Amino acid sequence: MHDHSHYLQRILLSRVYDVAVETPLEEATTLSRLLGNRVYLKREDLQPVFSFKLRGAYNKMARLGRDELARGVIAASAGNHAQGVALSAKKLGCEATIVMPVTTPAIKIGAVRRLGGQVVLFGESFTDSFEHALDLIRQTGAIFIPPFEDPDVIAGQGTIGMEILRQHPGPLEAVFVPIGGGGLAAGVAAYIKNLRPEIRVIGVEPVDSDAMRRSIAAGYPVALDEVGLFADGVAVKQVGEETFAICRDLLDEIVTVDTDAICGAVKDIFEATRVVAEPAGALSLAGLRAWVGRNQIRDKSLAAIISGANMNFDRLAHVVDRSEIGAEREALLAITIPEKVGSFRKLCAIIGNRNITELCTRFSDPEKARVLAGIKISGRQDVAELLAELRDQGLDVIDLSDNELAKLHLRHLVGGNSPTVANERLLRFHFPERPGALLNFMDAMRVEFSITLFQYRYHGADYGRVLMGFDVPETKRNDFEDFLRRVEAMGYAHADETGNPAYNLFLGWHGKQS
């Protein structure tokens, strides 16, 4: 183990506050109650570039001589370091070229350009961009500003640890730090472990970008063949030599989390701060939640560094879709019920007061109907209780909450044609979305017509929307029209989609009688 105490002086003498601000350490009160601990968020999303990266970039560049600044600077970055370098270059009056992976979110590319940086897109990961940046340096003679593998960069990031100890001088069980190349984790650990060694410093990595965890296990920096790109800010194939040495010696442990857990943490942060953190920015909180659950930690003070909020808008749909399961707030169940009138409504009654987020079925068997149900929960214990209730009613049920095929694809594909239904009518209904609205709707749907298709998904809109198929024989067409008029009078407006070409192409039976 090496002596890293020299970083204390480097951190204390850092010049980050020429451009950076001291960000608050705020308690997330709702999350604290939920987890049974005092959870504090270090709000690096409040920096001028919405990320901590400004600290290390400026601390490095502020120490360059005039001749060096005149040659311009080059950086390789997935986005946040790029913005830090661009803003620092603007402050110091030099030119900045940023090499970014082609997978970089557009919001980060645009931000760099607005700050005056020249963007070069190259490769799919940081490592690819880094190698291209080195080629440009050889061609131009510009000064390279590394994102993590530099003592001044590490020291700049370490000022976050300094602020945490100043803002929370009392007992602190652990600080959770996201890891990409390791600069932030190294700097924070170097400061905290030298002054308050009793505080745990815990690194957090995505399960598909865990270069530091694997390196520490191997005893040397290893290179990953591939990295996951969802948390693009930490998509690093190989950590630095210096950051590896510090993290190996000073980190207490490393926690890995999956995409669903990260999405759940994004939602937690939004509910606590009204800020949408980027995936890498929410990584440390996802690790905190996982660590608390695994170790059954109670009544401790815990801090998570929210490292950035440069979220690309087009990722929000995926985050919303996965966040409920990731935060253990939604269960996805496959339920088999008898294929007969009234069974569907009975299932809704068994689910009871629990909020239904999704309910889908398609007629495929004259004896059994298979229903995909998404249900709001407050934790895994709710799933066990619900499974027991459904099985007590004689229903077969499978928990698909951890099934990637179901979560990624099947929940969006439930449907298809049904050759045994020759007289199907397809209707779209909508109703004001409020607690219990779906069950009230099902009560209104009590008819002597078999339901051949049902699709509902809660989208957070003001109106709930349901797509339903009914088996309506020729002899009951008038009765069905009477039913629709009654439902309309009850406030459930509808649109008949039986003639819609999308229905006929993808859901209708092409061989049915016209």
Side-chain angles (χ1 to χ4, degrees):
M1 179 171 177
H2 298 90
D3 180 12
H4 304 289
S5 60
H6 63 281
Y7 271 100
L8 285 176
Q9 184 179 32
R10 284 183 175 273
I11 291 168
L12 289 169
L13 296 177
S14 291
R15 294 179 55 184
V16 301
Y17 300 108
D18 290 353
V19 291
V21 299
E22 179 171 330
T23 56
L25 183 68
E26 302 174 345
E27 183 176 2
T29 53
T30 300
L31 193 58
S32 293
R33 288 195 297 270
L34 179 66
L35 297 181
N37 292 276
R38 292 170 296 280
V39 178
Y40 296 90
L41 306 179
K42 181 59 172 166
R43 298 288 308 280
E44 285 300 291
D45 57 280
L46 297 176
Q47 290 294 352
V49 295
F50 310 104
S51 163
F52 76 97
K53 285 285 192 176
L54 177 63
R55 296 175 183 259
Y58 187 81
N59 193 47
K60 172 66 176 177
M61 293 172 62
R63 283 168 166 70
L64 296 178
R66 289 186 178 181
D67 292 343
E68 291 174 308
L69 288 174
R71 289 154 58 188
V73 297
I74 288 180
S77 170
N80 288 337
H81 177 60
Q83 293 179 69
V85 171
L87 180 57
S88 298
K90 185 176 181 181
K91 173 76 173 179
L92 295 167
C94 70
E95 294 184 357
T97 299
I98 316 295
V99 185
M100 309 178 81
V102 295
T103 55
T104 302
I107 189 172
K108 296 181 180 180
I109 296 172
V112 171
R113 287 174 172 157
R114 283 193 298 274
L115 290 168
Q118 178 183 345
V119 176
V120 176
L121 296 177
F122 187 90
E124 293 186 353
S125 71
F126 164 76
T127 303
D128 300 330
S129 299
F130 171 74
E131 292 172 353
H132 187 62
L134 295 182
D135 289 338
L136 293 178
I137 288 169
R138 286 188 285 268
Q139 296 170 23
T140 65
I143 303 297
F144 181 60
I145 307 300
F148 49 81
E149 184 61 358
D150 181 274
D152 289 325
V153 172
I154 293 170
Q157 322 302 28
T159 56
I160 295 174
M162 178 179 68
E163 291 176 13
I164 290 174
L165 294 193
R166 185 164 62 236
Q167 294 165 335
H168 191 88
L172 189 58
E173 181 69 17
V175 175
F176 292 80
V177 191
I179 299 178
L184 176 59
V188 169
Y191 192 85
I192 290 178
K193 298 304 278 189
N194 274 292
L195 291 182
R196 297 277 303 277
E198 79 280 6
I199 298 175
R200 294 174 179 269
V201 180
I202 299 174
V204 187
E205 293 182 296
V207 292
D208 52 4
S209 299
D210 58 341
M212 186 66 79
R213 185 190 67 82
R214 295 193 192 190
S215 297
I216 291 175
Y220 59 90
V222 300
L224 305 182
D225 293 330
E226 300 290 339
V227 292
L229 298 178
F230 177 67
D232 56 281
V234 293
V236 176
K237 289 183 179 180
Q238 186 168 2
V239 301
E241 293 279 354
E242 178 72 358
T243 58
F244 162 74
I246 298 173
C247 289
R248 176 198 60 201
D249 294 344
L250 299 182
L251 289 185
D252 290 276
E253 61 180 295
I254 293 178
V255 175
T256 58
V257 293
D258 62 14
T259 295
D260 286 359
I262 296 171
C263 291
V266 171
K267 180 173 182 179
D268 286 333
I269 293 167
F270 176 79
E271 291 180 345
T273 67
R274 299 302 184 265
V275 166
V276 181
E278 63 188 276
L283 185 60
S284 62
L285 182 59
L288 183 154
R289 289 195 62 144
W291 187 78
V292 166
R294 187 182 67 211
N295 296 292
Q296 296 298 298
I297 303 298
R298 303 285 295 182
D299 300 320
K300 301 295 184 182
S301 293
L302 309 168
I305 298 172
I306 308 308
S307 59
N310 290 296
M311 170 69 84
N312 220 33
F313 188 79
D314 59 12
R315 288 192 177 178
L316 290 176
H318 180 74
V319 170
V320 170
D321 198 40
R322 303 297 291 262
S323 63
E324 293 295 89
I325 290 177
E328 297 188 352
R329 294 175 180 173
E330 182 187 33
L332 191 64
L333 308 180
I335 307 167
T336 301
I337 63 175
E339 183 59 81
K340 62 182 182 181
V341 175
S343 293
F344 207 54
R345 198 272 168 197
K346 181 181 177 182
L347 172 61
C348 292
I350 295 171
I351 294 172
N353 294 327
R354 300 176 178 90
N355 287 332
I356 297 172
T357 59
E358 185 165 10
L359 210 54
C360 305
T361 188
R362 180 59 161 141
F363 181 88
S364 61
D365 184 306
E367 301 295 328
K368 298 178 180 179
R370 292 170 178 84
V371 180
L372 185 69
I375 301 167
K376 284 268 192 180
I377 59 172
S378 59
R380 287 293 185 182
Q381 71 281 357
D382 280 4
V383 181
E385 293 173 6
L386 181 56
L387 292 175
E389 290 176 25
L390 292 166
R391 287 165 180 158
D392 286 346
Q393 295 293 322
L395 301 178
D396 293 330
V397 57
I398 299 173
D399 183 4
L400 298 178
S401 303
D402 295 321
N403 188 300
E404 284 299 301
L405 177 63
K407 291 186 293 184
L408 280 173
H409 300 289
L410 294 187
R411 73 186 308 172
H412 304 292
L413 293 174
V414 174
N417 60 42
S418 185
T420 57
V421 181
N423 301 285
E424 189 170 55
R425 291 280 297 276
L426 189 74
L427 282 298
R428 275 193 302 111
F429 295 90
H430 72 269
F431 50 83
E433 189 69 272
R434 58 175 63 95
L438 183 60
L439 187 56
N440 293 336
F441 174 76
M442 291 303 302
D443 283 335
M445 291 295 110
R446 287 186 175 182
V447 291
E448 295 302 316
F449 300 99
S450 294
I451 296 174
T452 55
L453 180 148
F454 191 97
Q455 195 276 330
Y456 164 82
R457 173 72 175 163
Y458 176 71
H459 292 287
D462 53 347
Y463 276 84
R465 292 169 174 81
V466 174
L467 185 67
M468 292 185 72
F470 299 89
D471 188 12
V472 184
E474 179 69 30
T475 55
K476 291 192 174 183
R477 286 193 177 183
N478 290 336
D479 292 339
F480 188 72
E481 296 301 327
D482 289 340
F483 155 70
L484 290 180
R485 283 190 286 270
R486 289 196 305 273
V487 169
E488 186 92 30
M490 295 171 68
Y492 296 108
H494 72 274
D496 193 328
E497 300 286 7
T498 310
N500 190 310
Y503 163 66
N504 288 300
L505 284 169
F506 296 104
L507 293 173
W509 176 42
H510 295 175
K512 67 183 180 182
Q513 299 296 317
S514 58

